[in-house]
PDB file of all heavy atoms in Angstrom:
ATOM      1  N   LEU A  77     121.685 141.733 105.057  1.00  0.00           N
ATOM      2  CA  LEU A  77     120.238 141.941 105.015  1.00  0.00           C
ATOM      3  C   LEU A  77     119.749 142.127 103.590  1.00  0.00           C
ATOM      4  O   LEU A  77     118.576 142.356 103.367  1.00  0.00           O
ATOM      5  CB  LEU A  77     119.853 143.165 105.847  1.00  0.00           C
ATOM      6  CG  LEU A  77     120.066 143.036 107.338  1.00  0.00           C
ATOM      7  CD1 LEU A  77     119.716 144.333 108.045  1.00  0.00           C
ATOM      8  CD2 LEU A  77     119.249 141.899 107.902  1.00  0.00           C
ATOM      9  N   THR A  78     120.651 142.048 102.623  1.00  0.00           N
ATOM     10  CA  THR A  78     120.268 142.284 101.237  1.00  0.00           C
ATOM     11  C   THR A  78     120.380 141.046 100.381  1.00  0.00           C
ATOM     12  O   THR A  78     120.377 141.147  99.177  1.00  0.00           O
ATOM     13  CB  THR A  78     121.137 143.403 100.622  1.00  0.00           C
ATOM     14  OG1 THR A  78     122.506 143.017 100.719  1.00  0.00           O
ATOM     15  CG2 THR A  78     120.913 144.719 101.313  1.00  0.00           C
ATOM     16  N   ASP A  79     120.492 139.864 101.005  1.00  0.00           N
ATOM     17  CA  ASP A  79     120.506 138.630 100.218  1.00  0.00           C
ATOM     18  C   ASP A  79     119.247 138.568  99.369  1.00  0.00           C
ATOM     19  O   ASP A  79     118.172 138.944  99.817  1.00  0.00           O
ATOM     20  CB  ASP A  79     120.526 137.388 101.119  1.00  0.00           C
ATOM     21  CG  ASP A  79     121.899 137.110 101.692  1.00  0.00           C
ATOM     22  OD1 ASP A  79     122.878 137.685 101.193  1.00  0.00           O
ATOM     23  OD2 ASP A  79     121.976 136.318 102.643  1.00  0.00           O
ATOM     24  N   THR A  80     119.399 138.093  98.160  1.00  0.00           N
ATOM     25  CA  THR A  80     118.220 137.917  97.318  1.00  0.00           C
ATOM     26  C   THR A  80     117.709 136.502  97.485  1.00  0.00           C
ATOM     27  O   THR A  80     118.405 135.625  97.941  1.00  0.00           O
ATOM     28  CB  THR A  80     118.567 138.174  95.834  1.00  0.00           C
ATOM     29  OG1 THR A  80     119.635 137.299  95.480  1.00  0.00           O
ATOM     30  CG2 THR A  80     118.970 139.612  95.618  1.00  0.00           C
ATOM     31  N   GLY A  81     116.500 136.317  97.122  1.00  0.00           N
ATOM     32  CA  GLY A  81     115.938 134.970  97.206  1.00  0.00           C
ATOM     33  C   GLY A  81     114.800 134.921  98.198  1.00  0.00           C
ATOM     34  O   GLY A  81     114.378 135.909  98.762  1.00  0.00           O
ATOM     35  N   ASN A  82     114.316 133.725  98.400  1.00  0.00           N
ATOM     36  CA  ASN A  82     113.181 133.516  99.292  1.00  0.00           C
ATOM     37  C   ASN A  82     113.571 133.771 100.732  1.00  0.00           C
ATOM     38  O   ASN A  82     114.707 133.578 101.125  1.00  0.00           O
ATOM     39  CB  ASN A  82     112.655 132.089  99.145  1.00  0.00           C
ATOM     40  CG  ASN A  82     112.096 131.834  97.775  1.00  0.00           C
ATOM     41  OD1 ASN A  82     111.683 132.769  97.098  1.00  0.00           O
ATOM     42  ND2 ASN A  82     112.095 130.583  97.362  1.00  0.00           N
ATOM     43  N   GLY A  83     112.600 134.199 101.521  1.00  0.00           N
ATOM     44  CA  GLY A  83     112.832 134.343 102.943  1.00  0.00           C
ATOM     45  C   GLY A  83     113.397 135.683 103.376  1.00  0.00           C
ATOM     46  O   GLY A  83     113.670 135.869 104.547  1.00  0.00           O
ATOM     47  N   ILE A  84     113.595 136.626 102.452  1.00  0.00           N
ATOM     48  CA  ILE A  84     114.203 137.890 102.852  1.00  0.00           C
ATOM     49  C   ILE A  84     113.283 138.667 103.780  1.00  0.00           C
ATOM     50  O   ILE A  84     113.742 139.231 104.763  1.00  0.00           O
ATOM     51  CB  ILE A  84     114.653 138.730 101.633  1.00  0.00           C
ATOM     52  CG1 ILE A  84     115.514 139.911 102.092  1.00  0.00           C
ATOM     53  CG2 ILE A  84     113.475 139.238 100.822  1.00  0.00           C
ATOM     54  CD1 ILE A  84     116.803 139.522 102.722  1.00  0.00           C
ATOM     55  N   ASN A  85     111.977 138.676 103.505  1.00  0.00           N
ATOM     56  CA  ASN A  85     111.063 139.358 104.413  1.00  0.00           C
ATOM     57  C   ASN A  85     111.071 138.703 105.779  1.00  0.00           C
ATOM     58  O   ASN A  85     110.984 139.375 106.803  1.00  0.00           O
ATOM     59  CB  ASN A  85     109.652 139.400 103.835  1.00  0.00           C
ATOM     60  CG  ASN A  85     109.557 140.347 102.659  1.00  0.00           C
ATOM     61  OD1 ASN A  85     110.342 141.274 102.538  1.00  0.00           O
ATOM     62  ND2 ASN A  85     108.607 140.096 101.787  1.00  0.00           N
ATOM     63  N   GLU A  86     111.189 137.384 105.793  1.00  0.00           N
ATOM     64  CA  GLU A  86     111.267 136.661 107.064  1.00  0.00           C
ATOM     65  C   GLU A  86     112.529 137.036 107.821  1.00  0.00           C
ATOM     66  O   GLU A  86     112.517 137.159 109.040  1.00  0.00           O
ATOM     67  CB  GLU A  86     111.227 135.155 106.807  1.00  0.00           C
ATOM     68  CG  GLU A  86     109.886 134.690 106.264  1.00  0.00           C
ATOM     69  CD  GLU A  86     109.947 133.273 105.719  1.00  0.00           C
ATOM     70  OE1 GLU A  86     110.959 132.577 105.940  1.00  0.00           O
ATOM     71  OE2 GLU A  86     108.984 132.874 105.059  1.00  0.00           O
ATOM     72  N   LYS A  87     113.628 137.231 107.094  1.00  0.00           N
ATOM     73  CA  LYS A  87     114.889 137.605 107.733  1.00  0.00           C
ATOM     74  C   LYS A  87     114.765 138.987 108.375  1.00  0.00           C
ATOM     75  O   LYS A  87     115.157 139.191 109.518  1.00  0.00           O
ATOM     76  CB  LYS A  87     116.030 137.601 106.724  1.00  0.00           C
ATOM     77  CG  LYS A  87     117.393 137.848 107.363  1.00  0.00           C
ATOM     78  CD  LYS A  87     118.510 137.931 106.352  1.00  0.00           C
ATOM     79  CE  LYS A  87     118.775 136.621 105.688  1.00  0.00           C
ATOM     80  NZ  LYS A  87     120.009 136.631 104.872  1.00  0.00           N
ATOM     81  N   TYR A  88     114.211 139.942 107.647  1.00  0.00           N
ATOM     82  CA  TYR A  88     114.012 141.284 108.199  1.00  0.00           C
ATOM     83  C   TYR A  88     113.102 141.230 109.420  1.00  0.00           C
ATOM     84  O   TYR A  88     113.370 141.862 110.436  1.00  0.00           O
ATOM     85  CB  TYR A  88     113.383 142.221 107.156  1.00  0.00           C
ATOM     86  CG  TYR A  88     114.321 142.665 106.069  1.00  0.00           C
ATOM     87  CD1 TYR A  88     113.951 142.558 104.736  1.00  0.00           C
ATOM     88  CD2 TYR A  88     115.558 143.240 106.365  1.00  0.00           C
ATOM     89  CE1 TYR A  88     114.796 142.989 103.728  1.00  0.00           C
ATOM     90  CE2 TYR A  88     116.399 143.666 105.352  1.00  0.00           C
ATOM     91  CZ  TYR A  88     116.014 143.545 104.040  1.00  0.00           C
ATOM     92  OH  TYR A  88     116.843 143.977 103.047  1.00  0.00           O
ATOM     93  N   THR A  89     112.039 140.487 109.311  1.00  0.00           N
ATOM     94  CA  THR A  89     111.090 140.375 110.420  1.00  0.00           C
ATOM     95  C   THR A  89     111.762 139.757 111.635  1.00  0.00           C
ATOM     96  O   THR A  89     111.598 140.228 112.754  1.00  0.00           O
ATOM     97  CB  THR A  89     109.869 139.529 109.996  1.00  0.00           C
ATOM     98  OG1 THR A  89     109.246 140.165 108.884  1.00  0.00           O
ATOM     99  CG2 THR A  89     108.872 139.392 111.126  1.00  0.00           C
ATOM    100  N   ARG A  90     112.553 138.720 111.412  1.00  0.00           N
ATOM    101  CA  ARG A  90     113.246 138.057 112.521  1.00  0.00           C
ATOM    102  C   ARG A  90     114.238 139.002 113.200  1.00  0.00           C
ATOM    103  O   ARG A  90     114.297 139.071 114.425  1.00  0.00           O
ATOM    104  CB  ARG A  90     113.950 136.797 112.027  1.00  0.00           C
ATOM    105  CG  ARG A  90     114.500 135.938 113.139  1.00  0.00           C
ATOM    106  CD  ARG A  90     115.069 134.617 112.645  1.00  0.00           C
ATOM    107  NE  ARG A  90     116.189 134.823 111.732  1.00  0.00           N
ATOM    108  CZ  ARG A  90     116.169 134.545 110.420  1.00  0.00           C
ATOM    109  NH1 ARG A  90     115.082 134.048 109.865  1.00  0.00           N
ATOM    110  NH2 ARG A  90     117.218 134.743 109.661  1.00  0.00           N
ATOM    111  N   VAL A  91     115.005 139.759 112.417  1.00  0.00           N
ATOM    112  CA  VAL A  91     115.956 140.727 112.985  1.00  0.00           C
ATOM    113  C   VAL A  91     115.191 141.770 113.793  1.00  0.00           C
ATOM    114  O   VAL A  91     115.577 142.110 114.917  1.00  0.00           O
ATOM    115  CB  VAL A  91     116.806 141.398 111.884  1.00  0.00           C
ATOM    116  CG1 VAL A  91     117.552 142.610 112.423  1.00  0.00           C
ATOM    117  CG2 VAL A  91     117.783 140.395 111.289  1.00  0.00           C
ATOM    118  N   PHE A  92     114.077 142.246 113.256  1.00  0.00           N
ATOM    119  CA  PHE A  92     113.268 143.242 113.952  1.00  0.00           C
ATOM    120  C   PHE A  92     112.710 142.664 115.256  1.00  0.00           C
ATOM    121  O   PHE A  92     112.842 143.262 116.322  1.00  0.00           O
ATOM    122  CB  PHE A  92     112.125 143.719 113.045  1.00  0.00           C
ATOM    123  CG  PHE A  92     111.372 144.894 113.600  1.00  0.00           C
ATOM    124  CD1 PHE A  92     111.869 146.176 113.471  1.00  0.00           C
ATOM    125  CD2 PHE A  92     110.166 144.717 114.260  1.00  0.00           C
ATOM    126  CE1 PHE A  92     111.187 147.271 113.991  1.00  0.00           C
ATOM    127  CE2 PHE A  92     109.474 145.790 114.780  1.00  0.00           C
ATOM    128  CZ  PHE A  92     109.982 147.071 114.646  1.00  0.00           C
ATOM    129  N   GLN A  93     112.128 141.483 115.166  1.00  0.00           N
ATOM    130  CA  GLN A  93     111.533 140.862 116.358  1.00  0.00           C
ATOM    131  C   GLN A  93     112.579 140.525 117.416  1.00  0.00           C
ATOM    132  O   GLN A  93     112.344 140.723 118.608  1.00  0.00           O
ATOM    133  CB  GLN A  93     110.762 139.593 115.976  1.00  0.00           C
ATOM    134  CG  GLN A  93     109.502 139.884 115.210  1.00  0.00           C
ATOM    135  CD  GLN A  93     108.828 138.640 114.659  1.00  0.00           C
ATOM    136  OE1 GLN A  93     109.470 137.609 114.427  1.00  0.00           O
ATOM    137  NE2 GLN A  93     107.530 138.734 114.440  1.00  0.00           N
ATOM    138  N   ASP A  94     113.721 140.028 117.005  1.00  0.00           N
ATOM    139  CA  ASP A  94     114.763 139.643 117.954  1.00  0.00           C
ATOM    140  C   ASP A  94     115.465 140.848 118.570  1.00  0.00           C
ATOM    141  O   ASP A  94     115.969 140.763 119.684  1.00  0.00           O
ATOM    142  CB  ASP A  94     115.811 138.747 117.284  1.00  0.00           C
ATOM    143  CG  ASP A  94     115.289 137.372 116.939  1.00  0.00           C
ATOM    144  OD1 ASP A  94     114.185 137.013 117.417  1.00  0.00           O
ATOM    145  OD2 ASP A  94     115.971 136.654 116.185  1.00  0.00           O
ATOM    146  N   GLY A  95     115.499 141.955 117.843  1.00  0.00           N
ATOM    147  CA  GLY A  95     116.274 143.096 118.300  1.00  0.00           C
ATOM    148  C   GLY A  95     115.527 144.128 119.115  1.00  0.00           C
ATOM    149  O   GLY A  95     116.118 144.827 119.937  1.00  0.00           O
ATOM    150  N   VAL A  96     114.217 144.255 118.912  1.00  0.00           N
ATOM    151  CA  VAL A  96     113.457 145.326 119.557  1.00  0.00           C
ATOM    152  C   VAL A  96     113.111 144.974 120.998  1.00  0.00           C
ATOM    153  O   VAL A  96     112.623 143.884 121.287  1.00  0.00           O
ATOM    154  CB  VAL A  96     112.176 145.657 118.761  1.00  0.00           C
ATOM    155  CG1 VAL A  96     111.292 146.640 119.520  1.00  0.00           C
ATOM    156  CG2 VAL A  96     112.546 146.220 117.400  1.00  0.00           C
ATOM    157  N   VAL A  97     113.369 145.931 121.898  1.00  0.00           N
ATOM    158  CA  VAL A  97     113.030 145.798 123.307  1.00  0.00           C
ATOM    159  C   VAL A  97     111.747 146.568 123.610  1.00  0.00           C
ATOM    160  O   VAL A  97     110.860 146.078 124.292  1.00  0.00           O
ATOM    161  CB  VAL A  97     114.187 146.304 124.204  1.00  0.00           C
ATOM    162  CG1 VAL A  97     113.787 146.329 125.663  1.00  0.00           C
ATOM    163  CG2 VAL A  97     115.434 145.465 123.990  1.00  0.00           C
ATOM    164  N   SER A  98     111.649 147.807 123.079  1.00  0.00           N
ATOM    165  CA  SER A  98     110.455 148.617 123.332  1.00  0.00           C
ATOM    166  C   SER A  98     110.267 149.649 122.226  1.00  0.00           C
ATOM    167  O   SER A  98     111.211 149.991 121.517  1.00  0.00           O
ATOM    168  CB  SER A  98     110.555 149.324 124.688  1.00  0.00           C
ATOM    169  OG  SER A  98     111.573 150.309 124.658  1.00  0.00           O
ATOM    170  N   ILE A  99     109.020 150.121 122.122  1.00  0.00           N
ATOM    171  CA  ILE A  99     108.660 151.162 121.165  1.00  0.00           C
ATOM    172  C   ILE A  99     107.880 152.225 121.936  1.00  0.00           C
ATOM    173  O   ILE A  99     106.874 151.906 122.577  1.00  0.00           O
ATOM    174  CB  ILE A  99     107.788 150.606 120.015  1.00  0.00           C
ATOM    175  CG1 ILE A  99     108.549 149.524 119.248  1.00  0.00           C
ATOM    176  CG2 ILE A  99     107.339 151.726 119.090  1.00  0.00           C
ATOM    177  CD1 ILE A  99     107.721 148.787 118.207  1.00  0.00           C
ATOM    178  N   GLU A 100     108.356 153.461 121.882  1.00  0.00           N
ATOM    179  CA  GLU A 100     107.690 154.565 122.583  1.00  0.00           C
ATOM    180  C   GLU A 100     107.480 155.727 121.627  1.00  0.00           C
ATOM    181  O   GLU A 100     108.259 155.946 120.708  1.00  0.00           O
ATOM    182  CB  GLU A 100     108.548 155.041 123.768  1.00  0.00           C
ATOM    183  CG  GLU A 100     108.782 154.001 124.834  1.00  0.00           C
ATOM    184  CD  GLU A 100     107.517 153.599 125.572  1.00  0.00           C
ATOM    185  OE1 GLU A 100     106.627 154.454 125.751  1.00  0.00           O
ATOM    186  OE2 GLU A 100     107.416 152.423 125.952  1.00  0.00           O
ATOM    187  N   MET A 101     106.429 156.491 121.895  1.00  0.00           N
ATOM    188  CA  MET A 101     106.108 157.678 121.099  1.00  0.00           C
ATOM    189  C   MET A 101     106.441 158.943 121.866  1.00  0.00           C
ATOM    190  O   MET A 101     106.256 159.007 123.073  1.00  0.00           O
ATOM    191  CB  MET A 101     104.606 157.724 120.807  1.00  0.00           C
ATOM    192  CG  MET A 101     104.154 156.973 119.630  1.00  0.00           C
ATOM    193  SD  MET A 101     102.359 157.203 119.374  1.00  0.00           S
ATOM    194  CE  MET A 101     102.165 158.955 119.491  1.00  0.00           C
ATOM    195  N   ALA A 102     106.916 159.953 121.140  1.00  0.00           N
ATOM    196  CA  ALA A 102     107.078 161.302 121.674  1.00  0.00           C
ATOM    197  C   ALA A 102     106.597 162.242 120.569  1.00  0.00           C
ATOM    198  O   ALA A 102     107.378 162.627 119.698  1.00  0.00           O
ATOM    199  CB  ALA A 102     108.532 161.582 122.042  1.00  0.00           C
ATOM    200  N   GLN A 103     105.298 162.523 120.599  1.00  0.00           N
ATOM    201  CA  GLN A 103     104.651 163.302 119.532  1.00  0.00           C
ATOM    202  C   GLN A 103     104.861 162.585 118.200  1.00  0.00           C
ATOM    203  O   GLN A 103     104.422 161.468 118.055  1.00  0.00           O
ATOM    204  CB  GLN A 103     105.167 164.743 119.518  1.00  0.00           C
ATOM    205  CG  GLN A 103     104.840 165.531 120.766  1.00  0.00           C
ATOM    206  CD  GLN A 103     103.339 165.718 120.961  1.00  0.00           C
ATOM    207  OE1 GLN A 103     102.585 165.874 120.005  1.00  0.00           O
ATOM    208  NE2 GLN A 103     102.896 165.679 122.200  1.00  0.00           N
ATOM    209  N   ASN A 104     105.574 163.224 117.255  1.00  0.00           N
ATOM    210  CA  ASN A 104     105.772 162.574 115.954  1.00  0.00           C
ATOM    211  C   ASN A 104     107.145 161.905 115.851  1.00  0.00           C
ATOM    212  O   ASN A 104     107.644 161.676 114.763  1.00  0.00           O
ATOM    213  CB  ASN A 104     105.583 163.570 114.813  1.00  0.00           C
ATOM    214  CG  ASN A 104     106.678 164.598 114.752  1.00  0.00           C
ATOM    215  OD1 ASN A 104     107.094 165.130 115.784  1.00  0.00           O
ATOM    216  ND2 ASN A 104     107.157 164.891 113.564  1.00  0.00           N
ATOM    217  N   ILE A 105     107.734 161.576 116.987  1.00  0.00           N
ATOM    218  CA  ILE A 105     108.994 160.833 117.001  1.00  0.00           C
ATOM    219  C   ILE A 105     108.739 159.461 117.611  1.00  0.00           C
ATOM    220  O   ILE A 105     108.122 159.348 118.663  1.00  0.00           O
ATOM    221  CB  ILE A 105     110.078 161.587 117.796  1.00  0.00           C
ATOM    222  CG1 ILE A 105     110.398 162.900 117.094  1.00  0.00           C
ATOM    223  CG2 ILE A 105     111.333 160.725 117.941  1.00  0.00           C
ATOM    224  CD1 ILE A 105     111.378 163.773 117.836  1.00  0.00           C
ATOM    225  N   LEU A 106     109.212 158.443 116.931  1.00  0.00           N
ATOM    226  CA  LEU A 106     109.099 157.080 117.433  1.00  0.00           C
ATOM    227  C   LEU A 106     110.484 156.669 117.923  1.00  0.00           C
ATOM    228  O   LEU A 106     111.461 156.743 117.179  1.00  0.00           O
ATOM    229  CB  LEU A 106     108.631 156.154 116.316  1.00  0.00           C
ATOM    230  CG  LEU A 106     108.089 154.795 116.712  1.00  0.00           C
ATOM    231  CD1 LEU A 106     106.846 154.960 117.587  1.00  0.00           C
ATOM    232  CD2 LEU A 106     107.747 153.979 115.483  1.00  0.00           C
ATOM    233  N   VAL A 107     110.570 156.284 119.185  1.00  0.00           N
ATOM    234  CA  VAL A 107     111.841 155.871 119.780  1.00  0.00           C
ATOM    235  C   VAL A 107     111.778 154.355 119.978  1.00  0.00           C
ATOM    236  O   VAL A 107     110.914 153.853 120.693  1.00  0.00           O
ATOM    237  CB  VAL A 107     112.106 156.579 121.125  1.00  0.00           C
ATOM    238  CG1 VAL A 107     113.414 156.100 121.741  1.00  0.00           C
ATOM    239  CG2 VAL A 107     112.119 158.095 120.927  1.00  0.00           C
ATOM    240  N   ILE A 108     112.693 153.660 119.325  1.00  0.00           N
ATOM    241  CA  ILE A 108     112.736 152.204 119.392  1.00  0.00           C
ATOM    242  C   ILE A 108     114.009 151.809 120.135  1.00  0.00           C
ATOM    243  O   ILE A 108     115.109 152.123 119.692  1.00  0.00           O
ATOM    244  CB  ILE A 108     112.720 151.581 117.987  1.00  0.00           C
ATOM    245  CG1 ILE A 108     111.463 152.020 117.229  1.00  0.00           C
ATOM    246  CG2 ILE A 108     112.815 150.061 118.069  1.00  0.00           C
ATOM    247  CD1 ILE A 108     111.437 151.623 115.769  1.00  0.00           C
ATOM    248  N   LYS A 109     113.834 151.143 121.267  1.00  0.00           N
ATOM    249  CA  LYS A 109     114.965 150.627 122.039  1.00  0.00           C
ATOM    250  C   LYS A 109     115.244 149.208 121.568  1.00  0.00           C
ATOM    251  O   LYS A 109     114.314 148.424 121.344  1.00  0.00           O
ATOM    252  CB  LYS A 109     114.648 150.612 123.545  1.00  0.00           C
ATOM    253  CG  LYS A 109     114.575 151.980 124.153  1.00  0.00           C
ATOM    254  CD  LYS A 109     115.944 152.588 124.214  1.00  0.00           C
ATOM    255  CE  LYS A 109     115.994 153.690 125.250  1.00  0.00           C
ATOM    256  NZ  LYS A 109     117.348 154.193 125.404  1.00  0.00           N
ATOM    257  N   THR A 110     116.532 148.884 121.441  1.00  0.00           N
ATOM    258  CA  THR A 110     116.920 147.563 120.964  1.00  0.00           C
ATOM    259  C   THR A 110     117.894 146.911 121.938  1.00  0.00           C
ATOM    260  O   THR A 110     118.420 147.562 122.838  1.00  0.00           O
ATOM    261  CB  THR A 110     117.610 147.638 119.582  1.00  0.00           C
ATOM    262  OG1 THR A 110     118.903 148.238 119.737  1.00  0.00           O
ATOM    263  CG2 THR A 110     116.783 148.410 118.576  1.00  0.00           C
ATOM    264  N   VAL A 111     118.151 145.650 121.689  1.00  0.00           N
ATOM    265  CA  VAL A 111     119.207 144.944 122.386  1.00  0.00           C
ATOM    266  C   VAL A 111     120.511 145.674 122.041  1.00  0.00           C
ATOM    267  O   VAL A 111     120.679 146.162 120.920  1.00  0.00           O
ATOM    268  CB  VAL A 111     119.263 143.471 121.905  1.00  0.00           C
ATOM    269  CG1 VAL A 111     120.437 142.739 122.486  1.00  0.00           C
ATOM    270  CG2 VAL A 111     117.956 142.762 122.194  1.00  0.00           C
ATOM    271  N   SER A 112     121.430 145.739 122.985  1.00  0.00           N
ATOM    272  CA  SER A 112     122.696 146.430 122.761  1.00  0.00           C
ATOM    273  C   SER A 112     123.384 145.931 121.493  1.00  0.00           C
ATOM    274  O   SER A 112     123.508 144.734 121.269  1.00  0.00           O
ATOM    275  CB  SER A 112     123.614 146.214 123.967  1.00  0.00           C
ATOM    276  OG  SER A 112     124.815 146.920 123.793  1.00  0.00           O
ATOM    277  N   GLY A 113     123.785 146.881 120.654  1.00  0.00           N
ATOM    278  CA  GLY A 113     124.480 146.547 119.419  1.00  0.00           C
ATOM    279  C   GLY A 113     123.587 146.234 118.235  1.00  0.00           C
ATOM    280  O   GLY A 113     124.080 145.975 117.137  1.00  0.00           O
ATOM    281  N   MET A 114     122.276 146.262 118.426  1.00  0.00           N
ATOM    282  CA  MET A 114     121.353 145.848 117.364  1.00  0.00           C
ATOM    283  C   MET A 114     120.635 146.991 116.655  1.00  0.00           C
ATOM    284  O   MET A 114     119.900 146.753 115.702  1.00  0.00           O
ATOM    285  CB  MET A 114     120.298 144.900 117.946  1.00  0.00           C
ATOM    286  CG  MET A 114     120.815 143.529 118.281  1.00  0.00           C
ATOM    287  SD  MET A 114     121.153 142.542 116.825  1.00  0.00           S
ATOM    288  CE  MET A 114     119.507 142.291 116.181  1.00  0.00           C
ATOM    289  N   ALA A 115     120.832 148.228 117.105  1.00  0.00           N
ATOM    290  CA  ALA A 115     120.050 149.328 116.542  1.00  0.00           C
ATOM    291  C   ALA A 115     120.230 149.467 115.031  1.00  0.00           C
ATOM    292  O   ALA A 115     119.253 149.662 114.309  1.00  0.00           O
ATOM    293  CB  ALA A 115     120.376 150.638 117.249  1.00  0.00           C
ATOM    294  N   MET A 116     121.459 149.359 114.542  1.00  0.00           N
ATOM    295  CA  MET A 116     121.668 149.530 113.096  1.00  0.00           C
ATOM    296  C   MET A 116     121.018 148.401 112.296  1.00  0.00           C
ATOM    297  O   MET A 116     120.443 148.640 111.236  1.00  0.00           O
ATOM    298  CB  MET A 116     123.148 149.667 112.783  1.00  0.00           C
ATOM    299  CG  MET A 116     123.687 150.984 113.341  1.00  0.00           C
ATOM    300  SD  MET A 116     125.325 151.401 112.827  1.00  0.00           S
ATOM    301  CE  MET A 116     125.089 151.823 111.141  1.00  0.00           C
ATOM    302  N   ALA A 117     121.088 147.179 112.803  1.00  0.00           N
ATOM    303  CA  ALA A 117     120.459 146.051 112.106  1.00  0.00           C
ATOM    304  C   ALA A 117     118.939 146.205 112.103  1.00  0.00           C
ATOM    305  O   ALA A 117     118.284 145.973 111.088  1.00  0.00           O
ATOM    306  CB  ALA A 117     120.860 144.732 112.752  1.00  0.00           C
ATOM    307  N   VAL A 118     118.382 146.613 113.244  1.00  0.00           N
ATOM    308  CA  VAL A 118     116.928 146.815 113.323  1.00  0.00           C
ATOM    309  C   VAL A 118     116.518 147.977 112.418  1.00  0.00           C
ATOM    310  O   VAL A 118     115.489 147.908 111.746  1.00  0.00           O
ATOM    311  CB  VAL A 118     116.483 147.034 114.781  1.00  0.00           C
ATOM    312  CG1 VAL A 118     115.022 147.467 114.848  1.00  0.00           C
ATOM    313  CG2 VAL A 118     116.695 145.766 115.594  1.00  0.00           C
ATOM    314  N   ALA A 119     117.327 149.041 112.373  1.00  0.00           N
ATOM    315  CA  ALA A 119     117.011 150.176 111.493  1.00  0.00           C
ATOM    316  C   ALA A 119     117.029 149.733 110.027  1.00  0.00           C
ATOM    317  O   ALA A 119     116.171 150.141 109.241  1.00  0.00           O
ATOM    318  CB  ALA A 119     117.986 151.321 111.723  1.00  0.00           C
ATOM    319  N   ALA A 120     117.983 148.887 109.660  1.00  0.00           N
ATOM    320  CA  ALA A 120     118.026 148.367 108.293  1.00  0.00           C
ATOM    321  C   ALA A 120     116.785 147.533 108.002  1.00  0.00           C
ATOM    322  O   ALA A 120     116.200 147.616 106.916  1.00  0.00           O
ATOM    323  CB  ALA A 120     119.296 147.542 108.078  1.00  0.00           C
ATOM    324  N   ALA A 121     116.368 146.727 108.968  1.00  0.00           N
ATOM    325  CA  ALA A 121     115.148 145.938 108.804  1.00  0.00           C
ATOM    326  C   ALA A 121     113.940 146.854 108.662  1.00  0.00           C
ATOM    327  O   ALA A 121     113.078 146.648 107.808  1.00  0.00           O
ATOM    328  CB  ALA A 121     114.961 144.985 109.982  1.00  0.00           C
TER     329      ALA A 121
END
């Protein structure tokens, strides 16, 4: 996720879009559910 060059924002966006299943709020905590195995990649994005 740290490649330099063009398209890096697109790469982060794609990982985020492909990995996220749902976003829920609990007061000031945001809980993001992801596809199994994708939480760390989505968190990096």
